[in-house]
Amino acid sequence: MEQYPYQPPEPHRRDGAEQGTGHGHQAAETGHGAASGHGHAHGHSHSHSHGPAAPVSQHLRKVIAAVLVPFTAAVLVGLVVLWPGQAPAHKRTGVGFDRQTQQATVTRVVELSCASANASGVPPTGDTSTAEGSSAQQQADGTCKKATIRVDTGKDKGRTFTEIVQPDQSRQLHQGEKVVVAYEPSAPKDLQYAVTDVNRTFPMTLLAGIFAVAVVLVGRLRGVMALVALAVSFLVLTLFILPAILEGSNPLLVAVVGSSAIMLIALYLCHGLSARTSVAVLGTLISLALIGVLGSLFIGWAALTGNTDDNTGLIHGLYPSIDMSGLLLAGVIIGSLGVLDDVTVTQTSAVWELHEANPSMGWRGLYRAGIRIGRDHIASVVNTLVLAYAGAALPLLLLFSIAQSSVGTVANSELVAEEIVRTLVGSIGLVASVPVTTALAALVVSADRAAPDAGAAGASAGARPAPARGGRGRRRKR
């Protein structure tokens, strides 16, 4: 009696008798059967495409647990030991971000001549051909704005003050605009408040809401879990990593423990507690270790201090005990974690799906197929990292271009060299994560296929109907 693989009862009869090597023998012996088997396997796997990953054998679960359980325990111990108390207080300097600020509203704006407002005088040099003299002349001849600002928060709520806005200022105030004002109690009363920035709470909150809605609409439950993982990552950063560094703990150690905690929570929360996720965790862990070693080596070799701008200088001035080069290395590790998660999860999922589509494929075949996917991924990710840095540092690069500095001079400056080391070390870790994670995933799924205790799991998730058509497609047992 002829049997056809697309008849509904047939897959169930064949699944029970399927052996681990039967599909591979059949595919090797008849090209027609292999072709039809591939199409049928694809159709069968579609029914599992939205479900969880196939469970692995008990033996493999024990092997993975033997690695990850001690690591997780070490992370928990590190969190307990390094958990900070209250960050040490300091006297505000009034410089940069270290200022007392309040919320305020611009209640009135009137125009007046800059000369009458005495906002500027004659050009300091008397020569309008210079940039300084030309700017001063334009201010003297131009129209300024006199803004009245009302303080909305703090002990001086309701108090008003005025501020002159020059015509060439990048930030022009408008009536009804919400602003941030700095407060300096030691200054004369009429100079205690000054506008420092615009209050961007509403547009930033709206943008965050649009982002959250988009993630949930597209990702559904996975999207919700991703948002929860994002919130947890932010809490670990603000409640553990930053206070612990300020308290004087080693920045590198804090970053390793904190980023490991974020990795474990985010990956398992978003992708579930499974062998697939565990392989991604192992690949991420190995890559992070490589980034830490390379970062430590080249930051020391290039003599990077981590103290390159006003903000890092202020941190060093307020907390001299903080190791700034260690803080730089901690930033490299934390910054690389997000992209590493993406690469390792993608590679692990790719290998798992390849195995689901063709269970007869050995670990070498899985590795070769997975690495081809990884090469495309890496090519785009590395380019993204470089362009992201170039976009963020565009004003700085423009200054070097104006100064007609050579590429070597620009790259040798510590401010740029720091970012080059950060980008290249992170990129090396990303590149290494592809073969490492792909090899781990290929070894796990191929070893699991031949596991003797996988019979029950194979009937529900790993089994495949016979890739046969008519009498030629019957499975042979050997």
Side-chain angles (χ1 to χ4, degrees):
M1 181 180 67
E2 289 190 357
Q3 297 177 350
Y4 297 92
Y6 48 81
Q7 289 178 344
E10 187 61 22
H12 299 286
R13 291 200 300 267
R14 292 188 182 274
D15 283 350
E18 182 175 5
Q19 301 297 320
T21 60
H23 181 82
H25 289 306
Q26 187 277 335
E29 292 176 3
T30 169
H32 178 77
S36 62
H38 174 76
H40 187 72
H42 177 77
H44 182 79
S45 64
H46 177 73
S47 65
H48 295 282
S49 61
H50 301 291
V56 300
S57 63
Q58 185 70 22
H59 173 69
L60 281 177
R61 286 200 296 269
K62 289 180 179 179
V63 172
I64 294 173
V67 177
L68 289 182
V69 169
F71 171 70
T72 304
V75 172
L76 291 175
V77 171
L79 287 172
V80 172
V81 172
L82 297 174
W83 193 267
Q86 187 174 3
H90 69 275
K91 185 178 180 181
R92 289 187 179 272
T93 63
V95 178
F97 291 105
D98 195 38
R99 293 177 290 186
Q100 299 183 44
T101 59
Q102 301 294 342
Q103 305 300 317
T105 304
V106 179
T107 58
R108 186 185 180 198
V109 177
V110 296
E111 293 185 349
L112 72 167
S113 67
C114 293
S116 64
N118 200 26
S120 62
V122 296
T125 62
D127 182 6
T128 57
S129 63
T130 64
E132 183 182 13
S134 177
S135 176
Q137 185 65 52
Q138 289 177 7
Q139 291 180 15
D141 297 338
T143 301
C144 294
K145 293 180 180 179
K146 182 179 181 181
T148 302
I149 298 101
R150 182 189 68 239
V151 180
D152 296 332
T153 58
K155 63 183 183 63
D156 290 330
K157 181 178 180 180
R159 177 177 168 181
T160 61
F161 66 96
T162 59
E163 188 164 305
I164 302 298
V165 182
Q166 303 291 346
D168 61 344
Q169 282 185 214
S170 59
R171 184 185 300 113
Q172 296 292 316
L173 301 180
H174 308 282
Q175 185 171 340
E177 187 174 25
K178 300 292 184 180
V179 295
V180 178
V181 295
Y183 173 63
E184 179 50 61
S186 61
K189 187 172 183 180
D190 57 341
L191 299 177
Q192 287 181 335
Y193 285 96
V195 176
T196 60
D197 211 341
V198 174
N199 189 336
R200 302 179 179 88
T201 302
F202 178 73
M204 299 294 284
T205 303
L206 178 62
L207 182 60
I210 295 173
F211 164 74
V213 170
V215 170
V216 173
L217 286 178
V218 177
R220 299 186 179 180
L221 181 59
R222 288 288 180 91
V224 174
M225 292 297 99
L227 292 177
V228 174
L230 180 62
V232 171
S233 301
F234 181 77
L235 289 176
V236 172
L237 183 64
T238 56
L239 298 181
F240 171 70
I241 295 178
L242 298 180
I245 292 175
L246 289 179
E247 202 175 50
S249 298
N250 185 282
L252 177 58
L253 185 58
V254 171
V256 169
V257 173
S259 59
S260 299
I262 291 173
M263 174 186 65
L264 292 170
I265 294 171
L267 288 179
Y268 283 116
L269 191 60
C270 292
H271 305 286
L273 188 63
S274 65
R276 178 188 294 192
T277 307
S278 298
V279 170
V281 169
L282 287 173
T284 304
L285 178 61
I286 294 171
S287 302
L288 278 180
L290 176 62
I291 290 173
V293 172
L294 289 177
S296 178
L297 175 63
F298 281 93
I299 286 175
W301 197 359
L304 299 177
T305 64
N307 189 2
T308 54
D309 56 24
D310 293 340
N311 294 325
T312 54
L314 180 60
I315 293 172
H316 184 66
L318 295 174
Y319 300 95
S321 61
I322 293 180
D323 179 11
M324 300 304 295
S325 61
L327 187 63
L328 172 60
L329 180 56
V332 172
I333 293 174
I334 295 173
S336 302
L337 179 60
V339 188
L340 270 179
D341 287 351
D342 172 41
V343 173
T344 55
V345 169
T346 300
Q347 287 304 114
T348 305
S349 297
V351 172
W352 241 263
E353 293 302 324
L354 287 168
H355 174 69
E356 289 288 304
N358 187 2
S360 67
M361 190 181 296
W363 81 266
R364 289 184 177 84
L366 288 171
Y367 176 79
R368 285 194 295 266
I371 206 70
R372 285 195 294 270
I373 299 172
R375 290 188 187 116
D376 290 338
H377 198 183
I378 280 299
S380 60
V381 168
V382 170
N383 196 42
T384 299
L385 289 175
V386 174
L387 291 180
Y389 166 66
L394 201 57
L396 175 63
L397 297 178
L398 187 60
L399 286 177
F400 282 112
S401 179
I402 292 172
Q404 297 182 354
S405 301
S406 65
V407 175
T409 302
V410 173
N412 191 64
S413 65
E414 184 173 1
L415 190 59
V416 177
E418 181 179 293
E419 297 301 329
I420 291 176
V421 170
R422 187 198 309 270
T423 302
L424 293 182
V425 166
S427 298
I428 292 172
L430 286 175
V431 172
S433 69
V434 171
V436 168
T437 308
T438 305
L440 285 173
L443 287 171
V444 168
V445 294
S446 61
D448 182 61
R449 180 174 62 85
D453 58 340
S460 61
R464 285 292 178 272
R469 179 165 298 176
R472 294 171 59 187
R474 295 184 183 275
R475 188 181 310 277
R476 295 184 180 181
K477 299 180 183 179
R478 293 186 180 180

